[in-house]
Amino acid sequence: MALLDGMDAALCAFDADGHVTHWNREAERILGWTPDEAVGRRGLGGWAAREADAEEVTGRLLGVMNSAARQVDEFALLTKDGRRVLVRVQSSAVPGTDGRPAGVYCAFSEVHTQIDLERSVALSEALFGDASWGVVLVDADLRPALANAHAARALRTSRTALLGRPLGELLDQGVEEVESALQHVLAAGAPPAPTELWVTVRDHGGGPAPVPERRCWRSGFLRLATPLVEEPVPLGVAWLFLDVTKARLAEQESARLRFRGSQLHRAGRAVAECEDPMEAAALYMDFALAGFADHALIDLLPEPRPVPEGPFRLIRAAATPAWAPGQGPLTSPGGVPVPYLDGHPALQAVERCGSVRAAADRSENWAAARKWPDGTRHALSTALRSRGRTVGVVTFLRGGSRRAFDRADAIYAEDIASRVAASIDLAVATTA
């Protein structure tokens, strides 16, 4: 009897004549009738069911003795205070020692409670089925315990292969941010709003993906706790995420284009007030460096050429201060040639009359060998063309904390270079 009273389901039993033999505390909670009031009554009529419904209810409950299968019914029962409660009853026959039915065993619950449970189960099945966003259940040790198909595809593995693995084996960059968010949810609960996390997914072997690609996942977190104890005990975290990389990259590119357009507009307004063409070139470079590069170098040909052919030397005309990012003063052409080695990106840009990008290798003296400031890791050299001639080359440099130059950066550099080249060409023409 103690076992029956400790169960979460409402339980009752009838003998072969229809008398109530068992009635647990959950049944008392739902209908209000105590075991002392229920046990011994014949059927449910007149107390737990209306007289008009009693015959049908009792007949269907006891009718299960003639069936080997479990039977599910829904009845409107009466509480002790006269309210009607719709319950869902699962009943099955109880065999006696001789194998013949000796009674009926019934488990019942309120229909709305059952529907809520079924909705929860259906929601769980839908989330871990074909949901259009990723769902990962992470245990208290921050290891995936369950994941849907969308999450497995996003993590470049299978649903079973990711289970129980540390997040560091699934994510490369961004794993610290994800673990920090999960720990915060376990300790303090879900954040008030979704957060966006940038991550790089590892491949199946545990190393960086063949083509490392940063992804932006808009993530929501829910702390999971068991309802079966008096004080909630964290079971883990439900991590829901949606890939919004394309939208965020488009927003970043739009913002970058707006900023660069604004810089060009401001530079044009400032240059219009310059009397010295070399000062105008310096202003263009000053505006171009903001948010674009750490350093810039301008090297000029001794004489402008339509199509430069080697060998030729470049003369340093301007450089930002090597000790700190920023624009340095431009000087008039006519200095000492820069000792660039063959194959230098600046020489290649002049030969091709275009742009050349370069990135540091593993050598420690990569920047020094190219006569660039210490810490340089990325370079973009663009030929200075004006009136069908090459007058020199401009080189933009970035440190290791910045990303490499891309094609969009090269287009912007070429736009700046055309304006700088026009100013330098005018300076050369007026001093000739």
Side-chain angles (χ1 to χ4, degrees):
M1 191 65 186
L3 178 62
L4 293 179
D5 286 340
M7 300 185 72
D8 294 327
L11 301 173
C12 68
F14 300 87
D15 61 16
D17 295 329
H19 292 90
V20 178
T21 60
H22 296 82
W23 189 270
N24 72 349
R25 290 181 179 175
E26 183 64 15
E28 178 184 352
R29 186 193 67 80
I30 294 176
L31 296 180
W33 301 96
T34 65
D36 292 338
E37 295 171 324
V39 173
R41 291 177 179 265
R42 188 178 189 283
L44 301 176
W47 61 288
R50 294 191 312 170
E51 290 291 351
D53 302 329
E55 183 177 353
E56 179 185 1
V57 171
T58 303
R60 291 173 66 178
L61 288 177
L62 298 181
V64 75
M65 289 191 294
N66 299 322
S67 172
R70 179 177 298 179
Q71 180 175 299
V72 179
D73 297 290
E74 289 187 1
F75 301 124
L77 299 183
L78 288 177
T79 64
K80 188 175 181 179
D81 57 8
R83 292 183 298 108
R84 300 188 72 191
V85 178
L86 184 63
V87 298
R88 181 171 295 175
V89 181
Q90 296 187 42
S91 54
S92 59
V94 178
T97 55
D98 57 358
R100 291 183 298 179
V104 176
Y105 170 85
C106 301
F108 63 91
S109 62
E110 297 178 76
V111 168
H112 70 82
T113 302
Q114 183 72 17
I115 291 176
D116 288 343
L117 175 61
E118 292 178 359
R119 284 173 179 162
S120 298
V121 173
L123 174 61
S124 176
E125 291 295 329
L127 288 176
F128 289 96
D130 299 326
S132 58
W133 56 86
V135 182
V136 180
L137 296 189
V138 183
D139 62 22
D141 294 328
L142 305 187
R143 294 172 182 260
L146 192 61
N148 69 350
H150 186 100
R153 289 193 298 269
L155 292 168
R156 300 184 181 183
T157 184
S158 65
R159 295 180 63 179
T160 56
L162 62 83
L163 301 183
R165 297 174 61 183
L167 292 176
E169 295 182 5
L170 302 171
L171 301 175
D172 184 13
Q173 298 177 359
V175 63
E176 295 86 359
E177 290 79 2
V178 174
E179 290 182 343
S180 177
L182 294 173
Q183 290 171 349
H184 172 79
V185 173
L186 284 172
T195 183
E196 293 183 357
L197 302 172
W198 286 89
V199 300
T200 301
V201 181
R202 292 183 181 273
D203 65 359
H204 297 291
V211 182
E213 185 179 13
R214 297 185 70 220
R215 311 300 302 176
C216 182
W217 291 348
R218 185 170 179 82
S219 303
F221 301 93
L222 296 172
R223 181 168 62 177
L224 305 179
T226 175
L228 302 180
V229 294
E230 294 181 1
E231 296 184 3
V233 177
L235 295 177
V237 178
W239 175 23
L240 295 82
F241 63 88
L242 184 66
D243 194 322
V244 293
T245 306
K246 290 184 178 180
R248 295 300 168 263
L249 290 179
E251 291 176 0
Q252 291 179 3
E253 182 63 20
S254 177
R256 183 162 55 241
L257 290 176
R258 288 196 303 269
F259 175 76
R260 291 177 177 178
S262 174
Q263 287 296 97
L264 290 177
H265 174 74
R266 293 174 60 198
R269 294 287 298 271
V271 165
E273 304 299 325
C274 294
E275 295 182 2
D276 182 2
M278 291 302 292
E279 181 184 356
L283 274 175
Y284 274 126
M285 295 303 300
D286 193 17
F287 279 98
L289 279 176
F292 182 67
D294 297 324
H295 300 281
L297 310 172
I298 293 182
D299 302 316
L300 303 181
L301 289 169
E303 295 182 0
R305 303 181 187 180
V307 182
E309 296 181 358
F312 55 84
R313 309 288 285 185
L314 292 172
I315 299 172
R316 179 62 48 80
T320 56
W323 57 87
Q327 178 61 52
L330 278 95
T331 61
S332 299
V336 178
V338 184
Y340 287 147
L341 299 178
D342 292 341
H344 192 282
L347 298 178
Q348 295 181 35
V350 173
E351 291 175 351
R352 301 175 185 178
C353 298
S355 298
V356 174
R357 285 175 279 169
D361 53 25
R362 296 181 179 272
S363 60
E364 296 181 359
N365 62 343
W366 183 83
R370 288 156 180 78
K371 309 302 177 183
W372 291 333
D374 291 340
T376 297
R377 307 301 295 172
H378 310 288
L380 172 59
S381 295
T382 302
L384 297 172
R385 297 278 296 176
S386 177
R387 295 191 297 164
R389 303 177 304 167
T390 299
V391 299
V393 59
V394 58
T395 301
F396 297 99
L397 305 174
R398 288 176 177 173
S401 62
R402 306 178 71 124
R403 62 178 179 83
F405 290 99
D406 56 21
R407 181 55 189 161
D409 294 327
I411 294 175
Y412 180 63
E414 290 167 0
D415 196 355
I416 292 293
S418 65
R419 300 165 189 256
V420 173
S423 297
I424 294 177
D425 191 21
L426 179 58
V428 173
T430 55
T431 56

